[in-house]
Amino acid sequence: MTGIGQIWVYLAASPLTWLAVTLLAYAIALRIAALLGNSPLANAVLISAALIILVLLATRTSYPTYFEGAQFVHFLLGPATVSLAVPLFRNLAAVRRSLLPIVVALIAGSLTAMASAVAIAWTFGAPIEVLASIAPKSVSAPIAMELAKSLGGVPSLAAVLVILTGITGAVVVTPLMNAMGVRNYAARGFAVGLTSHGIGTARALQVSDIGGAFSGIAMALNGAFTSVLVVGLSALNWR
């Protein structure tokens, strides 16, 4: 074994190694995104995920081994989700002034996001477990995994779909909104937060503070609304 190989074997024995790799990959991804002018295509989550996958393949490290070291980041998903109450509180006055449009947009957007995804998957013959996993794809991962489980879906599949939805939304939101002529950053932020949760919110914060605030509000409200809706469906035994 070479000297570098021996060093790697020593480092890999520490769970903190994979936490450090995760943080380093995200820092590199942020730097790359900044060098590319924070283009929508240079999504930091997508870049950092690709970097980590390359490291895992190069070192022949299994996902359980990686997750054992990086699970602190997973733990932070819960507090991060709860912290979304902060932008809601800070912008409570603006939310009150826009209460009716927010409620209408929340109901229309949440129902459309769930119904369209389930309908497309059903059209292509997806089994009931996939339909249950794809339904909560627009809420944050911790909420989606619990909702998918309550509907009879697969939590890990729901997490993957949530991430794909978030990355897609973060990449397309700016060119899509520009093409549609939507110039109001509150509306742009609310749309991306509702459909693309935290990853979309991170993108909204890069573009506009008010857009990021409304994106966080939409993410929090959609998580609560979708949870209530799924609990209702579960009570009706929708399967």
Side-chain angles (χ1 to χ4, degrees):
M1 181 178 294
T2 64
I4 295 178
Q6 291 175 335
I7 293 174
W8 176 251
V9 169
Y10 173 76
L11 292 175
S14 172
L16 291 179
T17 297
W18 294 112
L19 176 60
V21 169
T22 303
L23 297 177
L24 180 61
Y26 190 68
I28 293 173
L30 287 177
R31 182 60 178 164
I32 293 174
L35 291 174
L36 296 175
N38 288 320
S39 166
L41 296 177
N43 184 272
V45 174
L46 179 61
I47 296 172
S48 56
L51 291 174
I52 292 173
I53 290 172
L54 289 176
V55 172
L56 294 179
L57 291 175
T59 59
R60 298 181 180 179
T61 302
S62 66
Y63 177 75
T65 300
Y66 163 76
F67 186 74
E68 183 181 359
Q71 58 182 319
F72 182 67
V73 177
H74 182 264
F75 165 77
L76 291 177
L77 284 175
T81 302
V82 175
S83 69
L84 291 173
V86 175
L88 177 61
F89 178 76
R90 287 178 175 173
N91 294 276
L92 199 55
V95 172
R96 284 174 176 166
R97 289 195 298 270
S98 307
L99 190 57
L100 181 58
I102 285 177
V103 171
V104 174
L106 172 65
I107 296 174
S110 183
L111 291 178
T112 302
M114 284 190 290
S116 60
V118 171
I120 293 172
W122 178 79
T123 301
F124 284 94
I128 190 68
E129 292 80 8
V130 174
L131 298 181
S133 303
I134 202 173
K137 65 174 181 53
S138 289
V139 300
S140 60
I143 299 175
M145 293 174 73
E146 288 299 321
L147 294 180
K149 184 179 179 181
S150 68
L151 288 172
V154 182
S156 57
L157 176 59
V160 172
L161 294 171
V162 165
I163 293 171
L164 292 176
T165 300
I167 292 175
T168 302
V171 169
V172 306
V173 60
T174 299
L176 179 62
M177 291 296 171
N178 289 341
M180 295 177 66
V182 179
R183 305 301 179 192
N184 185 303
Y185 280 102
R188 292 165 69 123
F190 195 88
V192 73
L194 189 148
T195 56
S196 305
H197 46 82
I199 300 176
T201 299
R203 173 60 188 169
L205 285 168
Q206 287 181 327
V207 177
S208 162
D209 288 341
I210 189 67
F214 270 81
S215 184
I217 292 168
M219 176 182 169
L221 292 178
N222 190 37
F225 179 76
T226 303
S227 298
V228 171
L229 190 62
V230 168
V231 169
L233 290 174
S234 299
L236 294 174
N237 193 19
W238 76 299
R239 289 179 295 167

